[in-house]
Amino acid sequence: MTIPRRSLRAAGTLAAATVVGLTGAVLTAGPAAAHTPTWAVTCSEVSLDLTAYNSNVTNQVTVTVDGKDLLPTETFGKEFHKKLELPKHDKELTVHLVVKAGDGDNFSRDETKTAPVCEDAGTPSPAPSQGTPSPAPSTEAPAASATPSEAPSTSAPAAASPSPSSPDLAETGSSSATPVIAGAAVAVLLAGGGIMWSVRKRRTAQH
């Protein structure tokens, strides 16, 4: 049995086309499966690990936080690794990653994640007041007073004058009648002395 040459040529062409198609599919699928944009977000940082990219083209990566640049657009080749510190925050932040692959938009990424609030990000509570310590007692001796205290008064207290309303005190002999009494006493003594002299004189005359 003889096979026409045309049939052989047609079969060869179909086989070649099939091989080329499969090879193209493999080559196309390879880069797609190789691009690995891995990234993680915590309360304090963003970690980027972009690997297995095409090093023959220019790739770009950008990271923003609440619309502000955390990582301005940077170019990279086969891979890109970086850790970005997030600003301190007391509410959740929206982190946006944009990766543009130079070998096709189908390898690019546009993703968003949320950064939670760190537990210690709030305002710290004030430490309990310990109060102002009382000053230590002074051990120095008190300084002597420059001005000596006044000496106690040695003057005798003034005699209290009798109250006009107090009752009359008893006579002590020093009244206005004392000279009269003294004169009378002298007269009595003189008279007695005269009488005694007269009696003695009579007795002497009788003897």
Side-chain angles (χ1 to χ4, degrees):
M1 181 178 180
T2 303
I3 300 175
R5 291 183 178 180
R6 292 182 180 179
S7 299
L8 291 176
R9 288 179 181 179
T13 302
L14 180 61
T18 303
V19 171
V20 171
L22 291 174
T23 303
V26 170
L27 293 176
T28 304
H35 293 69
T36 309
T38 302
W39 68 301
V41 177
T42 65
C43 70
S44 60
E45 66 178 13
V46 178
S47 300
L48 300 176
D49 292 294
L50 311 178
T51 59
Y53 277 77
N54 190 346
S55 60
N56 297 322
V57 298
T58 300
N59 306 299
Q60 295 180 341
V61 56
T62 306
V63 179
T64 59
V65 175
D66 286 347
K68 299 179 181 179
D69 284 341
L70 182 65
L71 174 67
T73 302
E74 287 193 18
T75 60
F76 66 98
K78 184 178 181 180
E79 57 186 31
F80 182 86
H81 304 279
K82 198 162 191 177
K83 290 184 182 293
L84 306 171
E85 184 177 356
L86 290 171
K88 292 184 179 180
H89 52 281
D90 55 4
K91 62 180 181 180
E92 293 182 345
L93 300 178
T94 300
V95 184
H96 185 200
L97 170 70
V98 176
V99 179
K100 290 184 178 181
D103 52 356
D105 290 339
N106 55 319
F107 306 133
S108 299
R109 291 290 182 273
D110 189 333
E111 301 176 357
T112 300
K113 292 186 179 183
T114 300
V117 178
C118 296
E119 294 182 359
D120 58 348
T123 302
S125 57
S129 176
Q130 297 178 353
T132 303
S134 58
S138 176
T139 57
E140 297 180 359
S145 175
T147 305
S149 59
E150 296 182 357
S153 176
T154 57
S155 60
S161 60
S163 173
S165 61
S166 60
D168 295 339
L169 298 175
E171 295 289 343
T172 59
S174 59
S175 63
S176 59
T178 301
V180 177
I181 297 174
V186 172
V188 171
L189 290 176
L190 291 176
I195 293 174
M196 291 293 293
W197 182 78
S198 298
V199 172
R200 287 181 179 180
K201 190 175 182 180
R202 284 183 182 179
R203 288 181 180 176
T204 302
Q206 290 177 359
H207 289 294

